[in-house]
Amino acid sequence: DYQATLNFLNAGRDARVNARHFILLSAFCVQKPLLQLQQAKLKFEAALRDQEDMTWSIVRPTAFFKSVSGQLEGIQKGNPYV
């Protein structure tokens, strides 16, 4: 997760892209990281804060990647997903 997100940041730095703002979808649970995914997100948040190439925003939703597997059938039928 860290390297993939860093690749996106670096792609935004490319002169052909010239991104001015980076929005990171992180997770609320990174405040007490237990899982490698949480640790990777926290590590990237630090790297994002340390860079000065572009402005940034970090969004930390409380229900990150809510389980879709249990709702997949309903979604495929066109039911709303909240």
Side-chain angles (χ1 to χ4, degrees), residues 25-45:
L25 179 61
S26 188
F28 183 77
C29 58
V30 301
Q31 295 174 7
K32 296 180 182 177
L34 301 174
L35 305 174
Q36 286 184 346
L37 173 70
Q38 296 164 335
Q39 294 166 358
K41 288 194 173 299
L42 198 58
K43 180 180 175 182
F44 184 79
E45 284 186 16

Side-chain angles (χ1 to χ4, degrees), residues 2-61:
Y2 173 81
Q3 187 61 51
T5 311
L6 184 60
N7 291 346
F8 277 114
L9 179 63
N10 288 334
R13 292 176 169 142
D14 187 294
R16 295 169 293 178
V17 176
N18 195 30
R20 295 177 292 157
H21 192 84
F22 190 94
I23 300 172
L24 174 66
L25 179 61
S26 188
F28 183 77
C29 58
V30 301
Q31 295 174 7
K32 296 180 182 177
L34 301 174
L35 305 174
Q36 286 184 346
L37 173 70
Q38 296 164 335
Q39 294 166 358
K41 288 194 173 299
L42 198 58
K43 180 180 175 182
F44 184 79
E45 284 186 16
L48 185 60
R49 287 185 183 100
D50 289 343
Q51 62 82 39
E52 297 179 353
D53 296 330
M54 65 183 81
T55 59
W56 50 266
S57 298
I58 298 173
V59 179
R60 285 184 175 171

